[in-house]
Amino acid sequence: MVKFTVIGGDSSADLAKRIARRLKAVYVKTESRVFPDGESKIIIKKIPKNNIILVVQSTYPPVDTNLLHLLSIVSKARNYSSKIYAIIPYMGYARQDREFLEGEVISVSVIGKLFRSVGIKKIITVDIHSKIALRKLNIPSENITAVAELVKYFKKKKLKDPLIVSPDLGGKQRANQFASLMGIESITLKKHRDRKTGRINILTSKVDVNNRDLILVDDMISTGSSIIKSTQFLKKQKCKRVFVACTHALLVNDAECRIKKAGVTEIVSTNTIPRNTSKVDVAKIIADAVL
Ligand code: R5P
């Protein structure tokens, strides 16, 4: 029988424990300290030998620190097994998958090199922002989706004539999948983001959402600008309530507060990033992907 060891990094300790319970695996915790100069010291004790080792660590902010922790844990774990899988529920840098403006480094390719150099044999991630990014990592990988889990949460809600809304064309397929599992329809807004300033504008001028409850579906919320601009537009179109469903709630700075101020009734995210909005657990779908 295959034996698993789950090592939980600092950024995903709770989720790692949940995955270990589902897999009936040995759970190994990591300890870390930060020195006054900002360097980290990572300590991992009692790793069993020759099991398949699953290192669980999301790379949300502080992104580079969490990334270095992941690399360090894997590097240590390599002394105990040749089969190391990295479970990276939220994969940072996945938006930097091409040279959008001249001179930009394709960071996700650099990260792929680092992953391979420490001995990661496979990656499991959830709703990665870009499939191109996954390919550029150049490592066997599996991208699973939390859409069905998010849908289960919303199916329990009493909603008035609900409609799914994608804030942009890039999220259209996800929104369609969400809508089809809910058994309702979806629409897609046209969004423009200025690559230099990051400023967002909604280009759609009119939609028929009068008195309907809406669920804005996105893969991630970072600054909240996409959700805020979409909500302001939809409110002007006289919708009823606006809910937000996303896999990864980065919610940088005061994003949550600004989103609520824009009129969003509820933000629902998963525990790929632990936040107060993390109402949906992805431990089961990750454990199922491992088996
Ligand atoms: C964009 O393509 C993504 O799917 C998200 O809509 C975007 O990354 C969210 O970022 P922010 O919250 O900063 O608008």
Side-chain angles (χ1 to χ4, degrees):
M1 201 172 112
V2 190
K3 283 194 172 167
F4 294 104
T5 294
V6 174
I7 305 181
D10 273 357
S11 70
S12 300
D14 179 65
L15 178 55
K17 280 181 208 154
R18 289 168 184 270
I19 295 169
R21 272 201 295 275
R22 289 193 174 265
L23 293 173
K24 297 191 177 17
V26 179
Y27 179 75
V28 175
K29 66 171 184 175
T30 55
E31 290 163 48
S32 68
R33 272 195 278 144
V34 181
F35 291 108
D37 61 2
E39 289 179 5
S40 304
K41 162 78 79 189
I42 299 159
I43 303 139
I44 318 161
K45 293 179 196 155
K46 297 189 185 136
I47 305 177
K49 280 212 161 191
N50 298 323
N51 285 0
I52 294 180
I53 298 182
L54 310 170
V55 177
V56 188
Q57 169 89 336
S58 275
T59 53
Y60 56 83
V63 180
D64 295 345
T65 302
N66 284 333
L67 184 62
L68 187 67
H69 279 211
L70 169 64
L71 295 166
S72 305
I73 298 166
V74 171
S75 171
K76 178 81 173 169
R78 268 304 267 115
N79 300 329
Y80 300 85
S81 168
S82 58
K83 287 194 180 137
I84 315 280
Y85 301 167
I87 298 182
I88 313 171
Y90 168 70
M91 172 88 70
Y93 282 105
R95 286 181 292 178
Q96 297 194 46
D97 61 356
R98 64 200 96 163
E99 194 173 337
F100 293 102
L101 299 176
E102 196 195 337
E104 286 179 355
V105 173
I106 304 173
S107 304
V108 81
S109 299
V110 181
I111 287 165
K113 281 184 196 159
L114 293 169
F115 284 170
R116 293 194 299 278
S117 74
V118 290
I120 293 175
K121 290 287 181 287
K122 183 180 176 182
I123 290 170
I124 296 176
T125 188
V126 185
D127 288 324
I128 191 164
H129 177 73
S130 137
K131 303 259 168 70
I132 297 171
L134 204 58
R135 281 199 295 277
K136 293 227 162 118
L137 286 170
N138 197 13
I139 212 164
S141 56
E142 193 172 342
N143 176 44
I144 55 175
T145 180
V147 165
E149 303 306 299
L150 287 159
V151 165
K152 279 184 206 157
Y153 180 92
F154 277 94
K155 273 198 165 168
K156 290 186 198 136
K157 277 198 174 295
K158 224 174 170 246
L159 301 167
K160 169 126 191 337
D161 200 8
L163 179 71
I164 303 302
V165 184
S166 170
D168 53 38
L169 267 170
K172 185 176 179 169
Q173 215 191 330
R174 183 180 312 109
N176 283 348
Q177 188 193 355
F178 201 106
S180 131
L181 290 171
M182 289 281 289
I184 59 177
E185 293 193 327
S186 71
I187 57 167
T188 300
L189 305 182
K190 245 190 182 166
K191 175 181 101 178
H192 175 259
R193 185 192 291 269
D194 185 305
R195 288 253 159 235
K196 281 196 177 135
T197 63
R199 214 183 144 73
I200 282 173
N201 278 310
I202 299 297
L203 306 178
T204 307
S205 52
K206 200 172 166 16
V207 284
D208 186 7
V209 293
N210 191 31
N211 208 25
R212 296 180 78 166
D213 278 338
L214 308 177
I215 307 173
L216 270 167
V217 175
D218 213 341
D219 59 331
M220 60 194 285
I221 306 174
S222 179
T223 63
S225 297
S226 303
I227 293 300
I228 290 168
K229 291 282 179 164
S230 304
T231 303
Q232 288 167 343
F233 168 71
L234 295 164
K235 288 274 173 184
K236 273 196 194 136
Q237 302 290 308
K238 304 265 182 295
C239 70
K240 198 166 191 275
R241 295 176 296 175
V242 176
F243 295 85
V244 175
C246 76
T247 305
H248 315 292
L250 288 163
L251 292 171
V252 172
N253 299 328
D254 58 348
E256 187 178 355
C257 186
R258 292 191 301 112
I259 289 172
K260 288 280 173 65
K261 239 185 179 165
V264 168
T265 302
E266 186 183 2
I267 306 169
V268 179
S269 68
T270 76
N271 55 351
T272 58
I273 301 176
R275 295 280 183 259
N276 359 326
T277 55
S278 305
K279 296 164 189 169
V280 171
D281 184 12
V282 290
K284 181 181 182 303
I285 57 168
I286 290 177
D288 289 349
V290 168
L291 290 171

